[in-house]
Amino acid sequence: MSDHRTYKKIEIVGTSKISIEDAIQNALAECAKSVRNMDWFEVIDTRGHIVDGKVAHYQVELKVGFRLSGS
């Protein structure tokens, strides 16, 4: 990479009753409300809640990387 930048990582958790992908989108959309310069994410854990033998909701833990201001 020719540009030298400095990044910070945070961990967030997203949930959805629909899908894992929707849980990721929900987490990133909410994070974007307060975090600028997001560049990448990594799924580090996937969980779910079961009710009556069926998936009630999905839960996805993410690491989100973002560029520090001025970097």
Side-chain angles (χ1 to χ4, degrees), residues 6-24:
T6 303
Y7 292 87
K8 182 167 179 71
K9 293 189 296 187
I10 58 173
E11 291 186 15
I12 60 174
V13 177
T15 63
S16 172
K17 292 182 178 183
I18 299 169
S19 68
I20 291 168
E21 291 82 3
D22 193 52
I24 292 169

Side-chain angles (χ1 to χ4, degrees), residues 18-65:
I18 299 169
S19 68
I20 291 168
E21 291 82 3
D22 193 52
I24 292 169
Q25 293 292 343
N26 290 342
L28 293 175
E30 192 64 28
C31 189
K33 292 178 182 177
S34 60
V35 177
R36 293 175 297 167
N37 303 319
M38 295 189 311
D39 276 349
W40 56 267
F41 73 92
E42 173 186 0
V43 176
I44 57 175
D45 199 9
T46 306
R47 296 177 292 276
H49 182 70
I50 301 168
V51 175
D52 297 327
K54 297 180 182 176
V55 175
H57 74 268
Y58 301 90
Q59 195 175 60
V60 180
E61 187 175 352
L62 306 171
K63 286 185 182 179
V64 177

